Amino acid sequence: MTHTAYSITPVKPAAHLFRVTCRVDSPDPGGQQFRLPNWIPGSYMIRDFSRHIVTIDARDERGDVALHKIDKSRWRAEPAQGELVVEYEVYAWDLSVRASHLDTTHGYFNGTSVFLLPGGRESSPCELTIVTPTDPACEDWRVATSMRAIAVDANGFGDYRADNYEDLVDHPVEMGTFERHVFTACGVEHQLVLSGRYSTDAARICADLGKICEHHIRFFGEPAPFDRYVFLVTVVGNGYGGLEHRFSTSLLVSRDSLPVKGESGIGDEYLEFLGLCSHEYFHAWNVKRIRPLRLARATLDREAHTSLLWAFEGITSYYDDLALVRCGLITPKRYLKLLSKIITRVAQAPGRKVQTIADSSFDAWTKFYKQDENAPNSIVSYYAKGTLVALALDLRMRESTGGEKCLDDLMRILWHRHGVGCGIDEPDIEATACEIAGTDLESFFELAVRGVDELPLASLLPQVGVGLKWRRSAAEVHGDSSDNAIGTTPLSQGMRLKFDAGLAQITHVTNASAAQRAGLSAGDTLLAIDSLRASEKSLPGILRRHCVGDTVAVSAFRRDELMAFEMVLSAAQNDTAELLIDDENHSLLAYWLSDEIA
Ligand code: ZN
């Protein structure tokens, strides 16, 4: 059987270079092709990882073999004799969960950034040797990854094995002087690997993660579909991101999101961290194993379009926080506050009126992942609105079955039917939901997934004893957004502002807002309102002294041209949601929020 053997060496950490070899035992006699993926599963954007290949050569047992570039990410070697070896250097300086990064403090890579795929070898087993670096800066380095180790030294350098190329690139690798903590959930060993500069209570994180992991495993049913799982966490001053894999997740988080030693209670930032971990772990089922066919068939060279990201990201986003209340980490009240924020976020973005979440899913590559200044007007988030659609579907299923069935049942049936091997086609989720609910949900999905009208949350929530109230908000992005902070003239007036070196930059202007009617635009630098300098500190005070309907003079720079505008101040919208428990004794409230698996 053919196989592909790779090696990777953090060869010049100060220059951010990995050296990689790819050995093909019996290359295509007509000339072996190689290609590097242009995107990484889970992150729907063309990233052209091949641009970071700095040098590349090929050789066989006779010597050098010519390599011809076919396109941006493909090569063809001249016919070779015996084993063909391609050797190349990859520049790694992207500190995100999607690519690779190497310096004298650590190395990190995703296989999609560094491992060439020989043509026709998609299904061949892969061997990987992670070579111990010789640079003195890397002296104490160890390796952390969920990839199956075959023969490694005490630090984890050595030989690993993957079933095929897809498996090879699904195990990100961290190397450095990280801390590793081990905990068990439902009998499965989990690792928490923390790298970067931080000080935290790792034992507490493990205890909290353990509860979340047990929740998710029991939610879908024991045994867990993996025999090991690794949380690879990179801690930085300011960062946020996660990417799901079948046996691990890569997370990039802010130092302040980790719990302080000796402190109890869950602050908002730590809550966000736990929510992110919960999200990526839920993906180990929903999207990594219950897979949309269109993504499962993707060849990673060009975009793969599916209308189902709302389900894979939205349902996952719904359960990430719901699991926290179900496993007792937060109270129902705190959970409802998190949910209220999502309802508010969706309500405040006019893009929900022009784009459906099915379309947002399909066009993720060019819209959601390439957001510009017009994004709030033109795009709906399949994460945020997807969460609300999942909630609405959950409630709708409870309603039509008298509380007997819910979204949990849908997820478990999808898991049993599609968890191993058989991917999910575009109509499958809706059809299965109708089957479980015992009713035709076509009109629900038309509205929620393929429509832009408001979701019927206000009428659905009371059946679990929860009421939805709307209140007026200032709809601003910085500072206080409480009810009466600035009277009835919201600070934003439809402008989102970024304060940079004392200057107020308009980053977004929402459609049909006072700012847009006045002629202001994203990119303008706001100089003065009402003849007073516009600053982060002054703006609320200036606006508080005006009433709805007042006209104020605004001056701003557009590029380097000074412009004058007249803005008629508008009232704050009723777009801030508040969820309150109306009926504590409602029979379905505990069923919804408790961890009793029906
Ligand atoms: Zn996700």
Side-chain angles (χ1 to χ4, degrees):
M1 191 182 191
T2 59
H3 71 280
T4 316
Y6 298 87
S7 75
I8 184 163
T9 314
V11 65
K12 293 172 195 159
H16 320 302
L17 291 173
F18 282 109
R19 180 176 296 149
V20 185
T21 61
C22 172
R23 294 171 182 273
V24 179
D25 49 5
S26 44
D28 184 340
Q32 180 65 51
Q33 286 200 19
F34 295 87
R35 67 180 172 89
L36 196 68
N38 291 321
W39 57 280
I40 180 168
S43 184
Y44 307 106
M45 190 163 111
I46 296 295
R47 296 187 188 274
D48 292 334
F49 299 118
S50 56
R51 69 202 158 100
H52 296 305
I53 293 185
V54 181
T55 60
I56 183 165
D57 299 294
R59 59 180 185 268
D60 66 3
E61 57 188 43
R62 295 169 304 187
D64 291 347
V65 173
L67 266 182
H68 305 287
K69 196 99 190 251
I70 301 170
D71 61 26
K72 64 181 178 183
S73 53
R74 289 192 298 155
W75 291 258
R76 190 184 66 251
E78 287 289 317
Q81 191 167 309
E83 185 184 62
L84 176 65
V85 183
V86 179
E87 183 167 320
Y88 49 102
E89 286 190 339
V90 183
Y91 178 70
W93 193 238
D94 178 345
L95 190 57
S96 74
V97 297
R98 304 175 296 258
S100 58
H101 190 258
L102 175 65
D103 64 11
T104 52
T105 68
H106 89 133
Y108 169 85
F109 65 83
N110 281 288
T112 36
S113 295
V114 293
F115 297 134
L116 288 176
L117 167 63
R121 301 292 183 104
E122 290 81 358
S123 308
S124 303
C126 301
E127 286 160 16
L128 169 65
T129 304
I130 303 177
V131 180
T132 311
T134 53
D135 191 299
C138 315
E139 204 177 9
D140 304 321
W141 282 19
R142 294 181 295 151
V143 173
T145 181
S146 57
M147 203 182 302
R148 178 80 63 199
I150 299 301
V152 298
D153 66 17
N155 291 326
F157 288 99
D159 299 338
Y160 290 81
R161 176 171 260 273
D163 296 340
N164 47 47
Y165 184 80
E166 186 186 11
D167 186 30
L168 175 75
V169 300
D170 195 33
H171 301 273
V173 173
E174 170 72 23
M175 51 181 92
T177 54
F178 50 77
E179 248 187 273
R180 187 190 334 244
H181 302 271
V182 176
F183 62 95
T184 303
C186 296
V188 177
E189 184 187 288
H190 289 63
Q191 292 180 20
L192 169 67
V193 174
L194 292 165
S195 53
R197 289 189 187 174
Y198 61 89
S199 161
T200 189
D201 185 347
R204 181 169 173 214
I205 303 177
C206 288
D208 292 341
L209 285 184
K211 289 180 191 162
I212 296 167
C213 295
E214 291 195 341
H215 170 275
H216 290 355
I217 294 171
R218 292 189 176 131
F219 177 88
F220 285 102
E222 291 188 73
F226 37 77
D227 58 359
R228 63 205 184 274
Y229 191 90
V230 182
F231 289 91
L232 283 181
V233 184
T234 301
V235 186
V236 293
N238 189 14
Y240 181 81
L243 197 61
E244 65 274 13
H245 300 280
R246 282 161 60 88
F247 293 86
S248 63
T249 177
S250 280
L251 307 168
L252 182 78
V253 302
S254 297
R255 199 167 292 130
D256 288 342
S257 69
L258 301 180
V260 175
K261 270 184 198 140
E263 279 185 15
S264 57
I266 296 179
D268 286 346
E269 287 159 315
Y270 182 44
L271 181 59
E272 190 177 58
F273 170 79
L274 291 176
L276 180 63
C277 293
S278 175
H279 182 96
E280 304 306 342
Y281 195 74
F282 196 87
H283 270 319
W285 288 264
N286 193 34
V287 93
K288 294 310 293 187
R289 289 181 173 84
I290 306 171
R291 306 176 72 190
L293 264 182
R294 291 188 179 180
L295 293 181
R297 290 176 182 153
T299 49
L300 304 183
D301 54 345
R302 62 181 108 85
E303 297 89 338
H305 297 283
T306 170
S307 302
L308 295 181
L309 291 182
W310 72 266
F312 291 99
E313 291 302 345
I315 294 177
T316 300
S317 298
Y318 175 55
Y319 280 109
D320 61 22
D321 287 340
L322 186 57
L324 303 183
V325 64
R326 285 185 175 180
C327 66
L329 285 166
I330 57 171
T331 61
K333 209 173 150 191
R334 186 100 181 260
Y335 171 65
L336 292 181
K337 221 170 166 182
L338 292 175
L339 201 49
S340 307
K341 271 191 182 164
I342 297 170
I343 298 174
T344 302
R345 202 190 311 156
V346 173
Q348 291 183 348
R352 77 185 191 288
K353 293 178 188 160
V354 297
Q355 193 189 40
T356 70
I357 52 170
D359 289 344
S360 182
S361 300
F362 195 90
D363 286 330
W365 302 84
T366 46
K367 293 196 170 186
F368 189 78
Y369 270 85
K370 291 193 175 173
Q371 296 189 28
D372 59 17
E373 69 289 337
N374 197 41
N377 294 320
S378 59
I379 293 174
V380 66
S381 164
Y382 51 79
Y383 285 87
K385 189 177 172 186
T387 305
L388 304 186
V389 170
L391 166 68
L393 177 59
D394 190 6
L395 297 170
R396 184 71 183 77
M397 291 176 76
R398 289 165 195 269
E399 183 185 60
S400 63
T401 60
E404 291 287 310
K405 300 282 179 191
C406 65
L407 192 65
D408 301 0
D409 299 284
L410 173 61
M411 295 316 293
R412 285 184 206 118
I413 289 191
L414 291 176
W415 168 238
H416 287 299
R417 290 185 188 167
H418 301 274
V420 184
C422 177
I424 289 204
D425 212 348
E426 301 291 294
D428 289 344
I429 293 176
E430 293 180 28
T432 312
C434 294
E435 180 192 324
I436 296 169
T439 185
D440 186 0
L441 297 173
E442 169 74 16
S443 58
F444 171 84
F445 286 114
E446 278 303 314
L447 169 90
V449 176
R450 286 177 290 281
V452 294
D453 290 339
E454 303 298 336
L455 294 169
L457 290 177
S459 64
L460 286 169
L461 278 161
Q463 50 158 332
V464 289
V466 173
L468 167 61
K469 291 201 174 80
W470 291 102
R471 60 184 169 80
R472 217 175 261 282
S473 85
E476 58 188 307
V477 291
H478 49 91
D480 194 348
S481 62
S482 65
D483 208 359
N484 305 312
I486 39 179
T488 51
T489 52
L491 171 56
S492 82
Q493 294 295 322
M495 296 177 274
R496 295 191 187 177
L497 299 170
K498 183 179 79 183
F499 293 93
D500 195 8
L503 291 175
Q505 308 280 359
I506 303 178
T507 59
H508 304 81
V509 172
T510 48
N511 279 348
S513 63
Q516 192 180 62
R517 279 191 292 270
L520 287 155
S521 178
D524 292 353
T525 304
L526 206 58
L527 298 172
I529 291 187
D530 207 13
S531 302
L532 293 167
R533 182 161 67 194
S535 72
E536 190 162 14
K537 197 158 175 271
S538 70
L539 273 173
I542 297 170
L543 289 169
R544 192 184 295 128
R545 284 157 210 284
H546 281 284
C547 298
V548 172
D550 283 2
T551 300
V552 294
V554 178
S555 45
F557 273 125
R558 177 161 305 164
R559 300 177 299 277
D560 62 349
E561 298 167 17
L562 182 62
M563 299 180 69
F565 305 91
E566 289 199 330
M567 182 161 67
V568 181
L569 298 177
S570 62
Q573 303 289 308
N574 264 330
D575 59 7
T576 298
E578 202 170 357
L579 293 177
L580 296 163
I581 294 176
D582 278 345
D583 176 5
E584 283 199 31
N585 299 317
H586 198 289
S587 59
L588 293 184
L589 183 68
Y591 173 40
W592 178 39
L593 297 180
S594 82
D595 67 344
E596 288 164 37
I597 303 294

